[in-house]
Amino acid sequence: MSALSFDFKKVLKKFRENAKITQEEMADELNITQSHVSKYERGRKVIDLETFIRWAQVTNSEVQAAAILFGTDVCAQAAQLMTLVPAFAGGLFNWML
């Protein structure tokens, strides 16, 4: 089994349902047909990365999508880094003055 193998059909449907978006509304947002949305959710069509990212944005599921794509460890480290950046930038700015 590939390291990138994942059952995206369940995730896509869960993202959409949690956002209370119909297949028709999702199709409109992604500029695709409702049939394509259905095929993605049933695993009959493989979703490309660009569409997956847009799907996550439309459903406000970016954090969950990042955890799926990069793993929870990487996401936790990124979140920790993001808290350090303002302090580092502020300290650097003060040092330059």
Side-chain angles (χ1 to χ4, degrees):
M1 183 179 282
S2 168
L4 296 176
S5 179
F6 193 81
D7 192 5
F8 281 96
K9 64 185 181 187
K10 292 178 183 176
V11 171
L12 295 172
K13 187 173 183 177
K14 187 74 172 160
F15 284 177
R16 182 182 59 77
E17 288 177 342
N18 286 349
K20 295 179 177 35
I21 297 173
T22 66
Q23 285 188 346
E24 293 80 10
E25 291 167 333
M26 180 60 76
D28 287 342
E29 290 287 339
L30 299 177
N31 200 28
I32 60 176
T33 65
Q34 179 274 328
S35 176
H36 272 85
V37 172
S38 176
K39 287 177 183 175
Y40 287 140
E41 290 183 356
R42 290 184 292 138
R44 304 191 105 227
K45 184 170 178 62
V46 177
I47 194 165
D48 59 274
L49 182 58
E50 183 180 344
T51 305
F52 177 71
I53 291 170
R54 183 72 184 121
W55 191 297
Q57 290 170 334
V58 168
T59 60
N60 199 25
S61 303
E62 294 97 333
V63 173
Q64 296 90 332
I68 290 166
L69 292 175
F70 305 115
T72 54
D73 290 341
V74 171
C75 292
Q77 290 174 356
Q80 184 180 13
L81 247 160
M82 293 305 291
T83 62
L84 297 175
V85 169
F88 174 76
L92 183 61
F93 182 73
N94 288 333
W95 177 79
M96 292 171 49
L97 294 177

